[in-house]
Every structure is written in C-alpha cells, then in structure tokens.
Amino acid sequence: MSSVDTTIRLISAGAIAGETCSPELAKGPWEFDLAPAPSYGPGSSMSDVIPTGSPRQGQLPEVYRTASADELDARIRAAKDALGDRVVVLGHFYQRDEVVRYADFVGDSYQLANAALARPEAEAIVFCGVHFMAETADILSAADQSVILPNLAAGCSMADMADIDSVLECWEQLEARYGTEPDAEGRVPVIPVTYMNSSAALKGFCGEHGGIVCTSSNAATVLEWAFARGQRVLFFPDQHLGRNTAKAMGVPLENMPMWNPRKPLGGNDDATLDAARVILWHGFCSVHKRFTVDQIDRARAEHPGVRVLVHPECPMPVVDAADGAGSTDYIGKAIAAATEPTTFAIGTEINMVNRLAQQYPQHEIFSLDPVVCPCSTMYRIHPGYLAWVLEALVRGEVINRITVDAAVAAPARVALDRMLAARPGQAAERVIGD
Ligand code: 13P
Ligand code: SF4
C-alpha cells in the first residue's frame, strides 16, 4: 500500500481512481507558506477561520523545496547521524509516513508529552506534530532544551477555537452565576478542564484556577478527578470529547449545555446553567467531523462482522454507532490485540489508518471515510522542513524554536502535572498543586 502522500499525488494526476478533499494537497506545503494571510492549508480544516496572530512560516529555502525524496532522505539521515543523542525526533501518529520514519518516538499526544520528559540530555527536541504539542514539550522539558516545530504553520484548528480572552470572559460570567465559594463537601463551583489540544495560555488558565489538562487517552480519569473537586466542569475546546466522555460516565445530555463564546451566557438561560454538570465549549475537529453514521452503516452492510473503532473527537452519534471509541493509542492497541483476522473500519486520521493497515496485513483495515483527507496542519510537516531544521542544528543554529513564556509555562506545568499524576480510581486523592 502506498503512503497517503503518494496516493494523493496519484489521484490528483488521474493515475488511480479515488477522491481527495483537495487536489492542492498534492503540492509542496511551502506553496502555502507565503499565502497573503496565514491559513490551515489545503485539507479538511481549510474552511475553519485561522486566528490573526497565528505563527507564520517563512519561505523554506529552495534547496529543500526542490530536493528529491531520495536527497532529503540522505540529508535527514546524515544530519541525524551527526547529531546523535543531541537530538530526539518525536512523531505523532498522524504524521505522513515520509516524516514518521525518522522519529525516535511515535505516539499519541499523551505518550509524546511523556517522551519529551524522557530525554533530558538531548539538546533539541524536534517535534513532528502540531503547535500545541510542541508548546507542551517546551513546558515539560528542561530549560536548556530547545523544542523545534519544523513548520510553524502546523497549528490545530480545534485548538484555535478557544482563545484565552473568550475563556476569561466565559469564566467571569460563570463566577457571576455560581459564585466562588465551595459547597459543604468542599467542591468549588467550576473546575476548568482543557484538552491537550489547546494553547499553553489555556493550560496556564487551568493551572491557575484549580483545573487540569486531559488527552483523549485519559479524559475519563481527568473528569473523575475534576468531579471530586468541583460541582461542575467547564470543558474546552472539544465539545465532542467532553460530551462522549461525560456521557459514558453517566452524565445526562440535558446536563451538558454548550457554551457558544459569541453569545451572552454562552447562549444559555440561567436554569440550564444551574443544572449543568459539564459545560462544553463550542469547538470541534474538522478531521473527525467528517465521520458519519451513514459511513458506519455502509461499512456494516458491505463488510459483515466489521469492527468499527473511532476517536472520541467524532460526533456522539458516530461514537454511539461504533464498536469502540478511544485515543489513537487505544485504536492501535485494539487492533494489535485481535488474534483472528478481522475487518476494521476506522474513524481517525488517514495517515494513521493506512499505517495500521500496513503494519497488520493479517487484518483488513480501512478508513470509514472514502475521501482521502489528512489533517491539513499535521500535513504541513514535510521531509523538506525536517531536513532544514536538522541541518541547521548540525551547524549550531536553532530555527523554529517554540518557547512558552515563563509566566504562562509555570501554571500550565501545574495543570499538566496534575494530569500526569491522575490515576483511574484515585480521583479523591489530593495530587500536585492541591
Ligand atoms: P491523541 O491525543 O489521540 O494523540 O489525538 C490528538 C489529536 O490531535 C487528535 O486529533
Ligand atoms: Fe487538530 Fe483535528 Fe488535526 Fe488533531 S486531527 S491536530 S484535533 S485538526
């Protein structure tokens, strides 16, 4: 099976049948670096609005734009050999095959956060993922380590749906409604919980307000932690992860109002807010929003016995119709655990799905979505950018360093440490920062 990148090129050239969400995906990502306004680039996030002030990636030097895949491969390998243990390359499961092959650690966002902690002797952490992941690595890593994002345009449209000003405005309104005093059991009115897919500023906000970070692999444990300390939770930015997780824990849907930051009281009346257990920010992932119940119905009709596994960023009806939902790590482990040849239909990013299909040829593994549509921002990392930042390191130059201001990093670290220390079933125990 060819890589997603090769498949997209072949489809765009008319050499094979198939559909992509944008023929522009076949171009080099550098063609979009100098666009008049920052953009998420071609792919499934392109209709989302990128905030002003998002990092801009300058023009990648010509030598990397014009190099063949073989030349880039040789340059990356030579630079990695020259750097040895001075550099560690981290790769998220959603990275293209042409990049992930150089990663020293491949994992989900939780595993990569731990990996950033695991190599304190490396001078540089090159993060092949998206901006919020690199920020997290900077917060968790030692002060003298530099974290590098090979392409600064690799953001996350969902993370950008909650900004610190809107969250502060929301918080003011919630404080006005609920007050600030704990109840008889010592539970404060609201605990803020931010998904890892958020800016460092929001993680800092959570650290300062008794809150915590979660990833898709520990969202239930974190909500349990939060319910032990608060009467209700404000969950941002992903409404779907919040809703799917809280629903599985028995929170009724009528106690999960949505907070629309453009409306007073988030678009809710007082009675709705009074009954709230989880207030869900109006954010979503444009990649996971593509999965539908119709696709699941079709997979079941065409592949009797198929097992449908989806990521909890998918909308609730999709999660409900699937056989299992969990983080990227959960999906990988569920497939690894299948002892008999099985057909799997997967609802998560296509690079990961295709890699699993290659890794487990004894199973039939395919994406629920027939349209080839990678996460547009993960896809902005191309081997050309990796070669560029690694060769600069060999020369002693650090480019595209992601640095979180100390005033933000300190409280963000508190919220991250609470997450790293949280364990299922230990919600009532007091952990770091309490
Ligand atoms: P994981 O936490 O499962 O790695 O997911 C990160 C992400 O961005 C999913 O869209
Ligand atoms: Fe963000 Fe969605 Fe891409 Fe994950 S898949 S990085 S949530 S846009």
Side-chain angles (χ1 to χ4, degrees), residues 45 94 130 132-133 155-159 197 285-288 313 349 375 377-378:
S45 312
Y94 294 171
V130 290
F132 71 82
M133 299 181 182
C156 164
S157 53
M158 177 219 277
N197 299 34
C285 165
S286 299
V287 177
H288 290 89
E313 288 176 14
E349 209 269 354
C375 166
T377 49
M378 288 273 181

Side-chain angles (χ1 to χ4, degrees), residues 61-360:
E62 191 182 359
V63 60
Y64 300 104
R65 285 184 273 133
T66 52
S68 69
D70 286 347
E71 277 172 70
L72 288 174
D73 178 59
R75 294 180 84 131
I76 292 170
R77 286 184 195 284
K80 275 200 82 189
D81 282 350
L83 291 161
D85 288 345
R86 290 171 51 212
V87 68
V88 59
V89 178
L90 306 183
H92 189 269
F93 287 131
Y94 294 171
Q95 287 289 296
R96 43 170 103 203
D97 288 356
E98 290 79 3
V99 164
V100 96
R101 65 172 61 118
Y102 305 109
D104 300 304
F105 288 99
V106 182
D108 68 5
S109 55
Y110 181 80
Q111 294 165 324
L112 293 176
N114 277 300
L117 277 165
R119 289 284 305 278
E121 75 290 354
E123 286 162 36
I125 298 170
V126 175
F127 212 122
C128 299
V130 290
H131 191 262
F132 71 82
M133 299 181 182
E135 279 190 332
T136 304
D138 182 54
I139 294 164
L140 293 175
S141 58
D144 58 350
Q145 291 183 291
S146 33
V147 176
I148 291 167
L149 184 64
N151 184 341
L152 294 179
C156 164
S157 53
M158 177 219 277
D160 290 341
M161 288 174 190
D163 63 274
I164 185 68
D165 291 340
S166 317
V167 168
L168 284 169
E169 264 174 47
C170 164
W171 192 252
E172 250 178 51
Q173 294 178 62
L174 296 183
E175 280 193 340
R177 180 77 214 142
Y178 300 129
T180 53
E181 290 308 309
D183 65 10
E185 280 119 73
R187 294 175 311 157
V188 296
V190 192
I191 295 274
V193 176
T194 191
Y195 188 21
M196 184 71 107
N197 299 34
S198 60
S199 69
L202 295 189
K203 295 184 177 83
F205 171 86
C206 287
E208 273 170 356
H209 293 84
I212 184 166
V213 180
C214 77
T215 72
S216 54
S217 59
N218 60 20
T221 300
V222 165
L223 278 191
E224 208 189 311
W225 182 99
F227 285 138
R229 289 156 177 79
Q231 298 159 43
R232 52 187 79 72
V233 163
L234 170 64
F235 191 97
F236 40 84
D238 185 21
Q239 56 170 295
H240 299 298
L241 178 66
R243 185 179 295 112
N244 289 322
T245 310
K247 184 175 175 233
M249 294 170 74
V251 179
L253 289 178
E254 59 270 25
N255 302 127
M256 288 192 247
M258 191 124 81
W259 187 275
N260 181 337
R262 286 181 212 91
K263 297 187 178 166
L265 284 188
N268 299 291
D269 56 28
D270 289 349
T272 308
L273 283 182
D274 288 349
R277 290 279 285 143
V278 182
I279 300 162
L280 301 165
W281 197 263
H282 192 301
F284 55 86
C285 165
S286 299
V287 177
H288 290 89
K289 213 178 74 169
R290 294 181 60 86
F291 299 108
T292 63
V293 175
D294 275 356
Q295 292 167 353
I296 297 182
D297 290 344
R298 206 170 315 129
R300 294 204 194 281
E302 290 171 6
H303 302 269
V306 67
R307 277 187 67 198
V308 179
L309 303 178
V310 302
H311 195 281
E313 288 176 14
C314 292
M316 184 183 74
V318 173
V319 168
D320 288 349
D323 299 304
S327 72
T328 46
D329 183 52
Y330 159 85
I331 292 171
K333 285 191 173 131
I335 293 172
T339 47
E340 295 298 317
T342 306
T343 303
F344 289 100
I346 307 295
T348 197
E349 209 269 354
I350 184 73
N351 280 283
M352 173 167 165
V353 179
N354 280 16
R355 197 167 309 120
L356 287 167
Q358 281 163 23
Q359 210 179 333
Y360 297 100

